[in-house]
C-alpha cells in the first residue's frame, strides 16, 4: 500500500507517512492533510502541532500527489518571447535569469523556462499558460503580437511595460533613459544626433525612441536620423551602416542597447570615424557591454536584476492573493569614454 502524499510504503520504515504525522500531532488524518495543503479549516493550535510533527519526523510531501489535492504545480514560468539563441547570447536575458533565481530563494517553487519558437503560431505560449501547466508566469522581452497580456488563467507579471498597462509590471523609465542618453550627447557639443532604436513592436524600444525625440525637440534639433535595430550586435552594425549612408553628417549616436552600440562602434571604426572624436556614442543597459568596447562605452543603467527579483516577488504575492502595484525604476547615466 502506498501513502497518497508521500509515496512511501506504509509500514516500510522508508519514510514517515501522513498517518505518522497525524498520530504524532494528535490530529485526524484529514486535519493533517489540510494543514499540509494550505491550512483551510485548521485551527492555529492544530496547525502548530502538525508543523511540529513534520519537523520532528522529517516528513516530506510528495509534490506530484500534493498537486492533485491543491491543483497547484508548485512551478512558475519565465516566458521569453525570443528564440533560444538570444537567451544564450544576450546579457539582458541572462541578468533576468539571475534575478528570477534570486527571487525564488527560500521557496519551493520550480522555474520552467518557456522560449518562443520561430515555427509556432501566434498565441502558442499564451495557450500553454492557460492550460494550467504552471501556477504563474513572468514575461520578459514582450512583443506586441505575443497575446500574453490577455492571459488571465494564472497570475502574470511583466518585466517591461506591456502595451496593455492594466497588467502588473516592473520596468525602468525608458523615456527618461532616452532623454538622459541624448542629453549627454548634447552636453558633449553634438548637434546631429542619430539613434538606433530597438524593435518597435516592443515598448522599451518605443519609449527610448520617444525620449530621444523629446530631448532633441526641446533643443530645436532634427529627429530624422533614426533607424530600427533589433537589440543585437549585428543589428546595431547594420543600422549604423544605413545611418552613415543616409546621414553622413551625424556626429553622435544613441543606441538603445549596449549590444547595438558595440556593433555601431565597429562600423564607425571601419569607416574611419573615431569615437568619440568624430562621433560620440551612448548605449543603454550597462550589462557588461561597456567592458567589451574601446573606448569604454558611456551608457544608461537598466537595473535588470532588481527588476527580475522584484517581478518574482510580485508574482509570488499575486499567487498568494495579494495585489502588488506596478513599479517603475529610474535609470542613471554610467560614464565611459565614448561620449
Amino acid at each position: 500500500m502506498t501513502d497518497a502524499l508521500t509515496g512511501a510504503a506504509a509500514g516500510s520504515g522508508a519514510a514517515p507517512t501522513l498517518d505518522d504525522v497525524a498520530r504524532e500531532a494528535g490530529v485526524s488524518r484529514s486535519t493533517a492533510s489540510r494543514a499540509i495543503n494550505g491550512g483551510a479549516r485548521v485551527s492555529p493550535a492544530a496547525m502548530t502541532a502538525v508543523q511540529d510533527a513534520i519537523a520532528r519526523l522529517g516528513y516530506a510531501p510528495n509534490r506530484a500527489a500534493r498537486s492533485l489535492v491543491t491543483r497547484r504545480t508548485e512551478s512558475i514560468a519565465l516566458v521569453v518571447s525570443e528564440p533560444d539563441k538570444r537567451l544564450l547570447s544576450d546579457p539582458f536575458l541572462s541578468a533576468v535569469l539571475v534575478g528570477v533565481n534570486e527571487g525564488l530563494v527560500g521557496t519551493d517553487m520550480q522555474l520552467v523556462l518557456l522560449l518562443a519558437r520561430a515555427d509556432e503560431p501566434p498565441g502558442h505560449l499564451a495557450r500553454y499558460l492557460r492550460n494550467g501547466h504552471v501556477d504563474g508566469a513572468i514575461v520578459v522581452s514582450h512583443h506586441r503580437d505575443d497575446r500574453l497580456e490577455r492571459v488571465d488563467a494564472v497570475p502574470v507579471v511583466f518585466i517591461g511595460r506591456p502595451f496593455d498597462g492594466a497588467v502588473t509590471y516592473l520596468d525602468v523609465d525608458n523615456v527618461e533613459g532616452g532623454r538622459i542618453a541624448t542629453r549627454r550627447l548634447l552636453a558633449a557639443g553634438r548637434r546631429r544626433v542619430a539613434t538606433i532604436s530597438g524593435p518597435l513592436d516592443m515598448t522599451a524600444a518605443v519609449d527610448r525612441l520617444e525620449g530621444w525625440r523629446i530631448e532633441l525637440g526641446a533643443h530645436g534639433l532634427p529627429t530624422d536620423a533614426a533607424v530600427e535595430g533589433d537589440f543585437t550586435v549585428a543589428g546595431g552594425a547594420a543600422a549604423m551602416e544605413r545611418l552613415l549612408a543616409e546621414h553622413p553628417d551625424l556626429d553622435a549616436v544613441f543606441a538603445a542597447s549596449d549590444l547595438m552600440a558595440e556593433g555601431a562602434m565597429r562600423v564607425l571604426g571601419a569607416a574611419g570615424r573615431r569615437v568619440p572624436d568624430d562621433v560620440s556614442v551612448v548605449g543603454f543597459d550597462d550589462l557588461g557591454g561597456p567592458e567589451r568596447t574601446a573606448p569604454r562605452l558611456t551608457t544608461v543603467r537598466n537595473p535588470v536584476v532588481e527588476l527580475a527579483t522584484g517581478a518574482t516577488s510580485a508574482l509570488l504575492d499575486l499567487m498568494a492573493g495579494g495585489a502588488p502595484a506596478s513599479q517603475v525604476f529610474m535609470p542613471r547615466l554610467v560614464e565611459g569614454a565614448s561620449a
Side-chain angles (χ1 to χ4, degrees), residues 213-226:
R213 284 178 174 147
I214 290 172
E215 197 63 30
L216 289 183
H219 290 79
L221 296 173
T223 59
D224 58 320

Side-chain angles (χ1 to χ4, degrees), residues 10-36:
S12 68
T17 68
L18 181 63
D19 289 327
D20 295 330
V21 172
R23 280 194 297 271
E24 182 75 13
V27 300
S28 68
R29 191 179 193 279
S30 61
T31 297
S33 178
R34 290 197 303 273
I36 290 169

Side-chain angles (χ1 to χ4, degrees), residues 179 249 257:
R179 297 194 70 173
D249 59 333
S257 78

Side-chain angles (χ1 to χ4, degrees), residues 170-192:
L170 285 83
D171 201 1
V172 68
D173 187 336
N174 285 297
V175 174
E176 180 60 22
R179 297 194 70 173
I180 288 171
T182 308
R183 196 178 302 137
R184 175 65 182 83
L185 294 168
L186 296 176
R190 307 301 178 169
R191 290 298 179 267
R192 193 65 173 107

Side-chain angles (χ1 to χ4, degrees), residues 26-312:
V27 300
S28 68
R29 191 179 193 279
S30 61
T31 297
S33 178
R34 290 197 303 273
I36 290 169
N37 293 299
R41 305 192 310 279
V42 177
S43 70
M47 178 65 80
T48 299
V50 171
Q51 290 173 343
D52 290 345
I54 289 171
R56 289 194 296 272
L57 296 175
Y59 173 79
N62 179 279
R63 184 180 297 273
R66 182 177 179 182
S67 70
L68 295 175
V69 177
T70 63
R71 297 185 181 274
R72 291 172 62 89
T73 67
E74 303 294 333
S75 62
I76 66 170
L78 175 61
V79 182
V80 181
S81 299
E82 302 288 354
D84 54 1
K85 62 182 180 181
R86 287 286 299 275
L87 181 70
L88 299 174
S89 62
D90 193 324
F92 174 86
L93 297 176
S94 299
V96 167
L97 275 172
V98 170
V100 171
N101 193 55
E102 288 182 4
L104 290 176
V105 170
T107 76
D108 292 329
M109 285 289 169
Q110 299 299 311
L111 183 62
V112 177
L113 185 61
L114 301 182
L115 301 177
R117 294 198 308 265
D119 61 342
E120 67 188 15
H124 176 78
L125 292 176
R127 285 193 295 275
Y128 181 92
L129 297 179
R130 290 192 188 98
N131 287 336
H133 298 295
V134 293
D135 299 329
I138 297 169
V139 177
V140 64
S141 201
H142 174 54
H143 295 260
R144 189 188 298 273
D145 293 333
D146 292 337
R147 304 180 187 175
L148 293 166
E149 296 164 6
R150 306 170 196 170
V151 174
D152 54 10
V154 295
V156 177
V157 174
F158 281 70
I159 298 174
R161 179 179 67 83
F163 285 96
D164 180 356
V167 183
T168 301
Y169 68 91
L170 285 83
D171 201 1
V172 68
D173 187 336
N174 285 297
V175 174
E176 180 60 22
R179 297 194 70 173
I180 288 171
T182 308
R183 196 178 302 137
R184 175 65 182 83
L185 294 168
L186 296 176
R190 307 301 178 169
R191 290 298 179 267
R192 193 65 173 107
V193 182
T195 189
I196 301 172
S197 78
L200 295 178
D201 65 343
M202 303 179 72
T203 58
V206 171
D207 290 349
R208 292 171 197 177
L209 179 62
E210 180 64 12
W212 170 82
R213 284 178 174 147
I214 290 172
E215 197 63 30
L216 289 183
H219 290 79
L221 296 173
T223 59
D224 58 320
V227 172
E228 184 175 354
D230 63 359
F231 288 144
T232 69
V233 173
M240 191 68 249
E241 289 176 350
R242 180 177 163 188
L243 281 171
L244 285 176
E246 297 178 358
H247 306 280
D249 59 333
L250 65 83
D251 60 8
V253 177
F254 163 46
S257 78
D258 290 347
L259 291 181
M260 293 195 300
E262 182 180 343
M265 290 173 69
R266 291 179 185 176
V267 169
L268 287 169
R273 302 286 188 97
R274 297 167 299 168
V275 177
D277 297 6
D278 301 320
V279 180
S280 293
V281 179
V282 174
F284 202 111
D285 279 334
D286 190 34
L287 293 172
E291 287 81 3
R292 295 196 301 269
T293 62
R296 181 184 174 89
L297 183 65
T298 297
T299 188
V300 176
R301 183 173 186 272
N302 186 5
V304 179
V305 173
E306 293 94 323
L307 290 174
T309 303
T312 307

